[in-house]
Amino acid sequence: MGSASSVLTQYDIEEVEEHCDHLFTQQEIVCLYERFCQLDKNAKGFISADEFLSVPEFALNPLSHRLLKMVDGLNFKDFVAFLSAFSSKATLPQKIEIIFKVYDTDCNGKVTFSDLIEVLHDLTGSFMSDKQREEVLSQLLHEAGYTRESSLLFDDFIKARNLFSLQSSNDHKILFLIQILDNPSLKMEVEVPVD
Amino acid sequence: MSKLNKSSSELDLDRPNIEDYLPSGSLQDSHAKLRLRDLLDISPTLTEAAGAIVDDSFTRCFKSNPPEPWNWNVYLFPLWCLGVVVRYGVLFPLRAIVLTLGWIIFLSCYFPVHFLLKGHDKLRKRLERGLVELICSFFVTSWTGVVKYHGPRPSMRPKQVFVANHTSMIDFIILEQMTAFAVIMQKHPGWVGLLQSTILESLGCIWFNRSESKDREIVARKLREHVNGADTNPLLIFPEGTCVNNHYTVMFKKGAFELGCTVCPIAIKYNKIFVDAFWNSRKQSFTTHLLQLMTSWAVVCDVWYLEPQNLKPGETPIEFAERVRDIISVRAGLKKVPWDGYLKYARPSPKLRERKQQSFAESVLRHLEQK
């Protein structure tokens, strides 16, 4: 294969840059395109799940199948848009959005206790029993002032003006993911190697 | 609550700890109280996964050099065109002729020697070795190979094996022109396979089949027999098990290191100035690869014969393999990666993922015990 930028025109690069809200520089987009072509073995225009899993470092990640659902079959523009949440210029809400989507397995806009348990199951595998996981999570939720019936709504937190305020009422307690994470500078950045 | 569930799968003691190389995803502050945030914050794990999508050390091992275009301008472009004409029109035919000549000489000497001297084994073997070294020299000439050998030449002693890093099948040819090794190789189809079953067989080469799992024990037995044999050719093994692009080394398989004999490392480093000698077996056939070499200016490489190593007391074969890999990587200026070369052909074992899960689970439970 010749150098990637001969296949990717300046118009294409600008279009992709626009699509990802300028979170990646043009140079990074060129490098991501090289990577995309490297993974997309028969130039189909998208990377199949199998090709993602041929990267051993990705395949052995406990949350890989969740990310795979979000990234499988994307064309290059959407691929860059997906990865833009991991760029150093991405805002905190964008990073939180990805985390939320990973947790929300049934895509109903709500993260419930069972969703949290499922992700914990992915992270711990067979090294903790279901009972232990439920116990740990219930205990920690209780300590933080929530119950098992609490659920997290994506809409709620983007409506909240003050990201660090906790709003709760007596009949339902809403978890704010930002409050939970309590980390103003959530480190979720990936560096695109620019050779 | 504090009892950790023992996993039903046994720990794979077969490989060095990959966790030493990969970033760990366990909880940071081991003395602080466990909080809800620690459990729900999956950002490190997601970052690792996204990082692997963007770049990973395994795929880098198999990246060939992209052809770099020169800066075309008025005088460089015609010069480059002239170069192409010389390489394809003058050098290639010359080299093809030399190679054909070499084959004619080789075959016309080999078959008589092989069949007529059936009774005089010692003489026959010596002549066959000499002839194989000859045809390999012809091959190396056909690519204008500029090979610098450093270090003492391999001697024929019992109870020793030679190991080298692997970039292409031409590694074997380059080493073979100096010493007639018996090599252990993957059985290939086509004309290579034909050569393997006829001529290389007589050198005592051993074949294996990557895709057969039972094969391992058979091969291990054959290795042992060969090494313990009195009059066999020195054995050359490429412990990486696959061709790597000569910038990295992947993990060495322990088979060569548990035979109970001295291991003599050989480091090979190609200078990519004229051609990239990495054989990307998924992209080109061996024939195409050879043709690519024959139409380039030269193949330049360095071969270092390094100090023989023995298993140290208390060292496992895996540690021994890693130590030798270290020696070879340092000498040839290669970076080490913790991946098994066979991951090119198969998915990683679930045990690697289980390690990560186990370390996370253990740190959660450990935090809880501190209440």
Side-chain angles (χ1 to χ4, degrees), chain B residues 119-187:
Chain B
H120 316 267
D121 268 354
K122 252 195 137 63
L123 179 65
R124 179 171 65 91
K125 285 210 183 253
R126 253 219 336 241
L127 285 178
E128 280 176 354
R129 275 187 211 129
L131 283 174
V132 170
E133 284 175 24
L134 181 75
I135 186 64
C136 287
S137 311
F138 269 101
F139 261 112
V140 174
T141 318
S142 77
W143 327 305
T144 314
V146 180
V147 186
K148 281 198 285 257
Y149 296 95
H150 311 263
R153 302 290 174 263
S155 41
M156 273 193 66
R157 287 196 288 191
K159 295 286 227 157
Q160 68 178 358
V161 286
F162 291 83
V163 301
N165 59 311
H166 200 27
T167 306
S168 160
M169 282 224 287
I170 68 173
D171 292 337
F172 164 64
I173 299 177
I174 285 175
L175 293 178
E176 195 79 358
Q177 81 162 343
M178 195 46 79
T179 326
F181 289 111
V183 75
I184 162 168
M185 274 166 80
Q186 163 85 19
K187 197 79 201 285

Side-chain angles (χ1 to χ4, degrees), chain A residues 83-178:
Chain A
L83 286 178
S84 61
F86 293 93
S87 104
S88 47
K89 300 201 208 98
T91 61
L92 186 60
Q94 283 171 308
K95 298 189 197 277
I96 302 282
E97 185 179 342
I98 290 258
I99 298 182
F100 189 92
K101 286 211 185 104
V102 169
Y103 270 110
D104 187 16
T105 6
D106 41 14
C107 300
N108 58 0
K110 262 201 298 214
V111 170
T112 57
F113 186 77
S114 59
D115 289 328
L116 297 174
I117 285 285
E118 270 183 46
V119 171
L120 193 56
H121 184 97
D122 283 339
L123 290 174
T124 52
S126 53
F127 297 92
M128 272 173 84
S129 71
D130 287 336
K131 199 158 136 347
Q132 280 173 321
R133 281 188 277 264
E134 279 186 32
E135 273 183 50
V136 171
L137 199 54
S138 304
Q139 186 182 334
L140 289 175
L141 279 174
H142 180 76
E143 275 174 23
Y146 304 104
T147 69
R148 284 173 69 130
E149 279 67 45
S150 311
S151 63
L152 189 144
L153 295 171
F154 186 67
D155 290 332
D156 286 305
F157 94 80
I158 49 173
K159 279 194 216 136
R161 294 276 179 266
N162 184 350
L163 291 178
F164 302 116
S165 75
L166 172 64
Q167 288 174 353
S168 65
S169 65
N170 281 331
D171 40 2
H172 60 271
K173 304 241 175 171
I174 299 189
L175 299 161
F176 281 93
L177 196 51
I178 294 177

Side-chain angles (χ1 to χ4, degrees), chain B residues 333-350:
Chain B
L334 308 171
K335 296 198 212 64
K336 294 177 9 171
V337 296
W339 303 107
D340 178 352
Y342 279 9
L343 288 173
K344 228 166 138 187
Y345 310 98
R347 291 273 170 269
S349 128

Side-chain angles (χ1 to χ4, degrees), chain A residues 35 38 50 54-55 59-61 64 67 103 122-123 127 132 135-136 139-140 143 180 188-190 193, chain B residues 1 3-4 7 34 37 40 45 47 49 51-56 63 347 353-354 356-357 368 371:
Chain A
R35 176 65 175 178
Q38 193 182 58
D50 214 39
S54 71
V55 176
L60 60 80
N61 191 293
S64 57
L67 275 185
Y103 270 110
D122 283 339
L123 290 174
F127 297 92
Q132 280 173 321
E135 273 183 50
V136 171
Q139 186 182 334
L140 289 175
E143 275 174 23
I180 301 289
M188 202 166 83
E189 278 165 32
V190 147
Chain B
M1 184 72 162
K3 258 298 193 136
L4 176 60
S7 147
L34 186 69
R37 167 219 313 182
L40 295 189
T45 314
T47 314
I53 294 178
V54 168
D55 187 27
D56 76 294
K63 215 163 88 159
R347 291 273 170 269
R353 179 190 288 213
E354 278 172 18
K356 282 182 163 275
Q357 292 173 325
L368 285 175
K371 288 193 186 282

